Amino acid sequence: MELGTAIRKDFPIFSEFKEKNLVYLDSAATSLKPRVVLDAMQEYHEKYSVNVHRGAYALAERATAAYEDARKTIARFIGAARAEEIVFTRNATEALNLVAYRYAGTFLKEGDGVLLTEMEHHSNLVPWQQVARAKGIKLFFMEVDPADGELVWGPEFFLNYLKSRQIKMISLTHVSNVLGAVNPVTEIVRKAHDVGVVVAVDGSQSAPHLPVDVQELGADFFAFSGHKMLGPTGIGILWGRYELLEKMPPFITGGEMVEDVFLDRSIFLAPPHRFEAGTPHISGAIGLAAAVRYLEGIGMENVHNYEQNLLAYAWGKLVKLPGIHLLGPRDLSRRNGLIAFTFASVHPHDVASFLDEQGIMIRAGDHCARPLHRKLKIPASSRMSFHIYNDKDDIDRAVEALERMVKVFGK
Amino acid sequence: MTLYREEIIERYRYPRHRGTLDHPHAQGEAVNSFCGDDITIFLKLDAERERVEEARFSGEGCALMQASADILCGHVVGKPIEILQNFQAEEFLSLYGDPPTPSRLKCVLLPYEALKMAFRTI
């Protein structure tokens, strides 16, 4: 299947911007949505927009079936052992909060350690800070090498490191949203499991771009968002090993998550419904399942290969620009989907605004990774990120605009 | 419309008021930690301490912030302190010219905030 320009017909937003020829290079923030996703959501709203898990009427059964089928589709997409391991959340942030508050917050004791990395998105850092403060848990961080933007990690010292710091849990990102680095999650998990350490993975930047099989990955929790993988906003996923989910108490409580309720106590449902209080984002789950089927139709291997080609092409062009500094690993095979950069003499916000005025959308700021930017001793960075609807022409236009910018702003 | 009209680029590349002042009569700093911008404005007053005699700015930040600082410093030189103490953000924005986009408004107003801080030290 041909990607890039050829599949833009599937994405209605491109016809909205026909004259301006939309150059969207910010898919790491959120992806564009294909027609099939919008249609699936619209069909729910138009034809069977009733609540799930309740009504004894046929339409409610249809809605429940669509919602639970969405769960199965997503389970298949990430290779989960069973659909009941898929918890619908609002986004990856909520999924990570659920792990931090309800797994670590319940099973870790005062003095236990949680290991994170210096490259985490705030969503995989701030919740841990809260839980650590409340429970007397200590946080430790795997360092990022500022030279090549990779995790400083040595398998030979790792077990000692974990033991000496009483680390009981690791939570790390699969792919950095700033460095683009793909972390060696499988190896880290293998070592961690040798000493009984539980591992959560933030898959927000991996699930949309590369084949993910949670069983191969070996981790215990895997969180990701729908809207970065062609799905709608407001829906995210927490995958967890069933035996872990089963012993976790609920997070948000209320209707739809109880088996029985008395005035003084309640009996909760088994996972995943224990973690889905209130009316869920039904159309969101249905839309995300449509996005997953669309991606499966293309094949995640093809998505990954296509984006790696774009990455290599963009890297080759960007690296020649005067005054540019590219962040992250130099070995492109250890990267995925995005390139963040700084210019010696142009502020990242000027880079983004200048490109915006030429119809090119890139991101500037700290990308919700303030501690990482501090470590790299830069206030902010600009970032271009790709998905299947991008092509080399987008990159050419962005690079030409950057060339003009260097001339205009050059001191 | 562009954020980077000729005057802005010109002021950014060749600022007239960039630098520091030894023994300033007033000095104020403003920081935008969101983008790492940091600006300090230095003021020197006349012998009667009634008017701004000299104004300079230093710090790191985007082109809009630096151009805005240069415009602001140019504006305050020679003005009576009494008037400047009531100098409103809206007045400054109309002096700055074409309005920035909402997401960049803060960049343009940062020097103004530093000036307000400087007046607090008089």
Side-chain angles (χ1 to χ4, degrees):
Chain A
M1 180 185 282
E2 215 179 316
L3 299 177
T5 321
I7 59 150
R8 287 190 186 170
K9 61 178 179 1
D10 295 349
F11 292 78
I13 197 169
F14 284 104
S15 49
E16 281 295 307
F17 283 82
K18 212 160 204 162
E19 269 114 62
K20 286 180 83 179
N21 189 11
L22 175 68
V23 179
Y24 184 71
L25 291 166
D26 195 19
S27 292
T30 196
S31 62
L32 305 176
K33 287 47 169 156
R35 169 75 67 198
V36 287
V37 169
L38 311 177
D39 284 350
M41 295 174 79
Q42 189 70 3
E43 188 185 5
Y44 165 74
H45 285 302
E46 278 180 4
K47 297 187 176 154
Y48 60 106
S49 66
V50 300
N51 216 329
V52 294
H53 300 141
R54 277 203 274 247
Y57 42 88
L59 218 50
E61 275 159 18
R62 183 177 170 193
T64 303
Y67 182 68
E68 293 302 329
D69 277 348
R71 198 188 304 279
K72 287 178 199 151
T73 303
I74 291 152
R76 179 181 69 215
F77 183 64
I78 59 166
R82 48 197 283 205
E84 291 79 13
E85 294 184 330
I86 301 294
V87 178
F88 285 116
T89 61
R90 276 192 306 147
N91 42 38
T93 298
E94 190 178 284
L96 291 163
N97 271 269
L98 175 49
V99 175
Y101 278 90
R102 284 304 181 257
Y103 186 83
T106 307
F107 299 109
L108 269 60
K109 299 188 303 291
E110 190 176 343
D112 282 347
V114 171
L115 180 62
L116 309 172
T117 80
E118 290 179 335
M119 64 169 81
E120 296 311 313
H121 187 282
H122 296 161
S123 60
N124 197 28
L125 170 59
V126 181
W128 295 103
Q129 293 170 345
Q130 309 315 305
V131 173
R133 198 161 298 151
K135 295 279 168 182
I137 293 166
K138 288 185 191 151
L139 297 184
F140 298 93
F141 297 90
M142 292 168 85
E143 281 186 40
V144 171
D145 182 346
D148 64 5
E150 294 200 48
L151 268 193
V152 180
W153 187 72
E156 56 278 20
F157 306 115
F158 201 51
L159 293 188
N160 272 339
Y161 181 93
L162 296 179
K163 276 193 220 157
S164 62
R165 288 161 181 79
Q166 276 194 69
I167 284 162
K168 297 288 158 60
M169 175 126 208
I170 299 174
S171 190
L172 83 165
T173 191
H174 195 176
V175 174
S176 162
N177 72 321
V178 177
L179 303 165
V182 183
N183 286 324
V185 172
T186 317
E187 291 91 42
I188 289 173
V189 168
R190 206 174 295 139
K191 288 283 173 192
H193 281 180
D194 281 350
V195 284
V197 172
V198 169
V199 184
V201 176
D202 175 2
S204 301
Q205 298 295 346
S206 62
H209 304 286
L210 38 113
V212 169
D213 184 309
V214 288
Q215 297 192 70
E216 263 177 44
L217 206 59
D220 302 290
F221 295 100
F222 187 83
F224 57 105
S225 273
H227 70 94
K228 291 190 203 295
M229 48 186 283
L230 316 184
T233 55
I235 190 95
I237 301 293
L238 175 68
W239 167 83
R241 289 188 189 283
Y242 197 76
E243 60 272 23
L244 298 184
L245 292 175
E246 211 172 14
K247 59 179 192 172
M248 285 158 60
F251 191 25
I252 308 290
T253 55
E256 298 231 18
M257 53 77 70
V258 281
E259 196 172 294
D260 204 350
V261 177
F262 305 90
L263 284 177
D264 59 345
R265 70 199 160 89
S266 301
I267 300 165
F268 306 124
L269 287 172
H273 301 106
R274 181 188 298 167
F275 303 107
E276 294 176 7
T279 295
H281 187 7
I282 304 167
S283 67
I286 290 167
L288 177 53
V292 163
R293 286 192 298 272
Y294 181 81
L295 285 170
E296 284 175 335
I298 294 165
M300 289 308 291
E301 273 298 339
N302 294 331
V303 170
H304 181 230
N305 292 338
Y306 182 75
E307 289 183 20
Q308 286 300 105
N309 277 331
L310 284 184
L311 177 73
Y313 183 77
W315 187 277
K317 292 230 156 190
L318 288 171
V319 82
K320 292 183 191 133
L321 293 175
I324 201 170
H325 174 65
L326 304 177
L327 307 183
R330 270 43 206 157
D331 177 355
L332 300 189
S333 70
R334 299 165 79 101
R335 301 182 60 109
N336 186 242
L338 61 94
I339 304 175
F341 51 89
T342 58
F343 277 93
S345 61
V346 192
H347 192 284
H349 286 156
D350 290 325
V351 177
S353 288
F354 189 84
L355 264 60
D356 175 49
E357 291 185 355
Q358 332 227 355
I360 298 157
M361 300 177 204
I362 66 161
R363 180 82 184 270
D366 59 26
H367 317 298
C368 293
R370 193 70 76 83
L372 174 63
H373 280 81
R374 207 167 278 136
K375 169 89 181 195
L376 300 175
K377 297 192 168 63
I378 49 176
S381 57
S382 309
R383 178 185 73 188
M384 59 169 72
S385 52
F386 318 113
H387 216 299
I388 48 172
Y389 33 71
N390 291 117
D391 61 12
K392 288 180 178 169
D393 188 50
D394 292 340
I395 292 162
D396 288 342
R397 284 189 53 192
V399 170
E400 281 160 22
L402 289 170
E403 281 167 350
R404 272 197 299 281
M405 177 200 77
V406 170
K407 279 187 197 128
V408 170
F409 284 77
K411 285 194 179 187
Chain B
M1 192 139 80
T2 170
L3 288 168
Y4 302 104
R5 60 181 202 268
E6 217 167 307
E7 186 197 358
I8 298 299
I9 292 293
E10 178 80 12
R11 293 248 186 199
Y12 166 68
R13 292 180 66 163
Y14 311 106
R16 297 154 216 182
H17 301 276
R18 194 174 171 84
T20 59
L21 290 174
D22 292 342
H23 313 296
H25 293 106
Q27 136 176 16
E29 188 186 8
V31 173
N32 182 356
S33 58
F34 173 69
C35 39
D37 288 2
D38 183 340
I39 179 172
T40 304
I41 287 194
F42 304 85
L43 300 176
K44 213 160 204 174
L45 308 181
D46 63 2
E48 292 76 33
R49 296 205 161 207
E50 282 174 359
R51 285 172 188 271
V52 174
E53 200 173 73
E54 224 180 331
R56 290 259 196 284
F57 73 94
S58 73
E60 293 305 317
C62 64
L64 299 190
M65 191 274 265
Q66 299 200 40
S68 164
D70 207 51
I71 292 169
L72 183 67
C73 287
H75 175 72
V76 299
V77 171
K79 296 273 186 318
I81 294 165
E82 216 182 317
I83 289 181
L84 288 174
Q85 272 167 336
N86 293 315
F87 186 41
Q88 301 297 309
E90 293 72 31
E91 288 176 66
F92 174 61
L93 283 176
S94 66
L95 191 77
Y96 178 84
D98 292 343
T101 51
S103 65
R104 303 299 303 275
L105 184 61
K106 195 145 189 213
C107 314
V108 172
L109 283 177
L110 202 67
Y112 173 80
E113 284 172 33
L115 179 73
K116 287 270 146 188
M117 293 304 289
F119 275 118
R120 284 202 207 164
T121 65
I122 294 179

